Amino acid sequence: MPKLATAVDSLFAEVRSSIENAHALGMYDPVTSLPNRLHFRSEADKMLAARAAATLAAMLFVDLDRFKNVNDSLGHARGDHLLIMVANRLRVVVTAEVGERPGQRPILARLAGDEFTIFFPEIETVADAERVARRIALAISEPFELSGHSIDIGASVGVAIGPDHGTTIETLMRAADIAMYQAKNNGGGRYCLFSEELAAEHQRKVDTEAALGEAVQRGEFLLALQPQLSLITGEIVGAEALLRWNHPREGMRAPATFIPIAEQTGIIGEVGDWVIAEVGSMLSEWQAQGIARRVSFNVSPRQLDRADFFQRLRAAFVQVDVPLSLIELEFTESAAMEVSETVLEEIAALRRDGATIAIDDFGTGYSNIARLRAMPLDRVKLDPSLIAEIETCEKARVVVQAVVQLIKGVGAEIVAEAVENVAQADILRAMGCDTIQGFIFAHPMFEEEFLNWTRNAERGRSRDVA
Ligand code: C2E
Ligand code: MG
Ligand code: MG
């Protein structure tokens, strides 16, 4: 017996030392004991070269959702512990897969931080890879028990298939990475399969990101102005400033094609500053010409991340000697519902000093009625999706009527956005809507055209009145 024990001991010692050697050689991740990036690359390269030509290969890229929160709030030691548990769940999924389809010899690795990757050199169908990806997303969506805390994270999984999406490990990894980003953009906790359209979209995003960085300095932004018409008095009561990007190659670009990217990258701060400065200098010029017209502009929630946002906003208008009563700030419904108490106080102070406050795109987010009542608020802009069907659908009318009543109940005015025909305008007026903005009477226009347009509209109105 003692002899056997010694033999087992020495065998273990040998195994341990070979594992330690492998670690020392820098092949394994010390936290999870999974192969590291370098080891993964060289092994996967060999596997790809050795595989049967007629089969498919699958690359899965796994990135955890909300992992940073755990690291930040519970500390790195617990973060590491969580990574070990994640690695174990991934091992279970991969092992189960091999159990069901014994021919497969995948490699699972930790690339860096909260990124893992799995390479299957030989799969039969794309559906096989998708099934594994789905199982991974599911496995990681189950809560983790971490020193008494129940932790909810998720995984975004990108899937690329060789040879269609790449014939080298590097191109497959890049494709799986792009697909992973899409899964994350779609909300995380899911997988996404790579496609050429996805790659084109990704490239466009990368190009936009790079070009946005220089667009402000190059003076490529413009403001279009869209008038707002009172349904009660027939007067032009204001205008909304809408950003346009005169892209050097692509021409005029609408905000939907770049605002979300500017928000993700943080460039929105600089872009938003430009909008504020431009509205300020425009209003100041108008004042000199005897024109006093209120201009609304959109504020992204990311702009509010900067602690000095309101201070700088005020300074911008003081500098050009424009009273705050000439501006209106538009916050989207979801942004308005999420702002902190401090921001709410700043908004209230701005409002006391004359600025008006609007909630934009109302009806697309969720509203907390108590918050809506407490919010310092002048106007609520109904989202186009609410208005689109009011002339054709009874249910849509009932909903809009209820929303109008709710908003009136909190003492705010109603602006209906994207009103496109007379039937809609008539229904909205009958419902008690105060103001409309829409193609029915004016598209967004650049400054000179806008000024001509308003001059003509006012001349027409005074003729009508006379
Ligand atoms: P929004 O603030 O809700 O602006 C209204 C959008 O509806 C504008 O689109 C406008 O052109 C469009 N619209 C107006 N009337 C009609 C109509 O009758 N029919 C239809 N179908 N559409 C109409 P635009 O200019 O493309 O702006 C889209 C969004 O981009 C804006 O929605 C706003 O959320 C954002 N945005 C625009 N400028 C800025 C900005 O300076 N900063 C930030 N953060 N966001 C901006
Ligand atoms: Mg708006
Ligand atoms: Mg809107």
Side-chain angles (χ1 to χ4, degrees):
M1 273 312 265
K3 239 183 181 167
L4 182 62
T6 324
V8 168
D9 274 354
S10 78
L11 189 64
F12 272 138
E14 216 170 281
V15 168
R16 200 176 309 121
S17 98
S18 79
I19 290 175
E20 277 163 6
N21 268 346
H23 276 289
L25 286 172
M27 289 157 70
Y28 289 87
D29 161 42
V31 175
T32 60
S33 296
L34 288 175
N36 64 16
R37 179 191 289 270
L38 268 179
H39 189 34
F40 174 77
R41 281 297 304 267
S42 73
E43 284 303 301
D45 273 334
K46 283 182 224 154
M47 291 161 113
L48 188 65
R51 75 183 234 288
T55 58
L56 299 174
M59 182 70 79
L60 273 66
F61 203 111
V62 181
D63 188 284
L64 302 183
D65 306 326
R66 300 178 294 277
F67 176 69
K68 196 179 170 297
N69 295 352
V70 176
N71 243 351
D72 290 351
S73 61
L74 299 178
H76 286 262
R78 289 199 178 112
D80 282 356
H81 191 177
L82 182 61
L83 288 174
I84 295 169
M85 293 196 278
V86 167
N88 286 340
R89 287 195 192 174
L90 294 176
R91 280 190 184 99
V92 169
V93 174
V94 171
T95 309
E97 188 58 29
V98 174
E100 285 168 32
R101 286 173 184 70
Q104 308 195 68
R105 290 173 44 79
I107 177 168
L108 161 68
R110 178 178 173 217
L111 287 194
D114 61 350
E115 292 171 7
F116 297 83
T117 189
I118 309 165
F119 180 60
F120 289 87
E122 293 187 21
I123 55 161
E124 272 165 32
T125 65
V126 177
D128 287 341
E130 291 188 274
R131 188 190 51 247
V132 180
R134 205 177 302 120
R135 283 184 178 172
I136 290 173
L138 202 66
I140 307 301
S141 72
E142 295 285 326
F144 289 85
E145 290 303 323
L146 194 61
S147 28
H149 301 269
S150 173
I151 310 281
D152 268 315
I153 54 168
S156 300
V157 187
V159 182
I161 306 293
D164 288 10
H165 305 149
T167 49
T168 63
I169 292 301
E170 193 176 333
T171 49
L172 283 171
M173 281 174 78
R174 200 177 315 134
D177 190 25
I178 289 171
M180 183 280 291
Y181 267 102
Q182 187 61 35
K184 202 162 282 271
N185 277 341
N186 293 346
R190 68 192 70 203
Y191 81 91
C192 182
L193 183 65
F194 177 84
S195 68
E196 288 309 326
E197 295 85 69
L198 216 60
E201 201 181 299
H202 181 78
Q203 192 53 48
R204 193 174 151 81
K205 204 179 139 192
V206 170
D207 294 345
T208 297
E209 237 173 76
L212 264 178
E214 296 170 0
V216 173
Q217 276 85 22
R218 292 209 215 150
E220 290 169 2
F221 287 119
L222 292 163
L223 287 183
L225 296 158
Q226 188 177 30
Q228 297 176 333
L229 178 81
S230 163
L231 284 176
I232 299 161
T233 64
E235 275 175 294
I236 304 301
V237 289
E240 177 174 10
L242 294 160
L243 194 57
R244 297 291 179 266
W245 179 10
N246 192 6
H247 191 280
R249 280 190 319 280
E250 294 169 36
M252 215 53 87
R253 280 178 65 168
T257 71
F258 62 89
I259 293 272
I261 299 171
E263 287 179 332
Q264 278 165 30
T265 56
I267 295 172
I268 192 69
E270 207 184 322
V271 175
D273 285 349
W274 180 85
V275 170
I276 290 168
E278 188 65 13
V279 167
S281 76
M282 195 170 67
L283 284 173
S284 146
E285 249 172 65
W286 290 2
Q287 262 188 322
Q289 297 170 31
I291 306 168
R293 192 177 297 290
R294 180 179 60 198
V295 170
S296 319
F297 56 90
N298 298 280
V299 178
S300 152
R302 288 293 309 273
Q303 286 173 265
L304 303 176
D305 292 346
R306 297 223 301 241
D308 60 351
F309 173 78
F310 289 96
Q311 206 181 327
R312 288 147 47 98
L313 174 91
R314 283 168 178 274
F317 290 99
V318 167
Q319 201 185 354
V320 290
D321 209 10
V322 167
L324 293 177
S325 58
L326 286 177
I327 62 163
E328 177 168 85
L329 278 70
E330 292 190 6
F331 299 96
T332 60
E333 180 184 19
S334 31
M337 293 302 139
E338 281 160 21
V339 293
S340 65
E341 285 302 317
T342 328
V343 168
L344 272 189
E345 278 163 28
E346 293 279 10
I347 294 176
L350 213 56
R351 186 163 175 264
R352 280 196 298 277
D353 292 335
T356 53
I357 306 299
I359 292 188
D360 203 358
D361 305 340
F362 190 86
T364 53
Y366 63 90
S367 273
N368 173 329
I369 306 290
R371 171 50 82 83
L372 199 61
R373 217 186 65 209
M375 173 100 191
L377 188 63
D378 299 277
R379 312 208 290 167
V380 172
K381 302 184 78 173
L382 301 184
D383 191 74
S385 61
L386 281 180
I387 291 159
E389 288 182 307
I390 48 169
E391 79 270 35
T392 53
C393 171
E394 167 68 17
K395 257 193 191 153
R397 271 196 296 278
V398 172
V399 170
V400 176
Q401 181 69 73
V403 172
V404 166
Q405 231 107 50
L406 173 75
I407 296 166
K408 293 257 160 195
V410 299
E413 279 182 20
I414 293 152
V415 183
E417 214 163 23
V419 179
E420 294 186 349
N421 61 52
V422 177
Q424 290 171 341
D426 286 342
I427 294 170
L428 288 161
R429 183 188 291 112
M431 284 180 177
C433 170
D434 307 275
T435 304
I436 57 170
Q437 180 180 337
F439 298 168
I440 179 181
F441 70 100
H443 283 254
M445 295 169 269
F446 291 120
E447 187 179 359
E448 195 183 322
E449 191 190 351
F450 171 81
L451 289 175
N452 285 331
W453 187 93
T454 44
R455 231 173 270 130
N456 285 337
E458 262 155 17
R459 228 176 271 142
R461 222 186 128 255
S462 49
R463 251 203 319 273
D464 290 349
V465 173

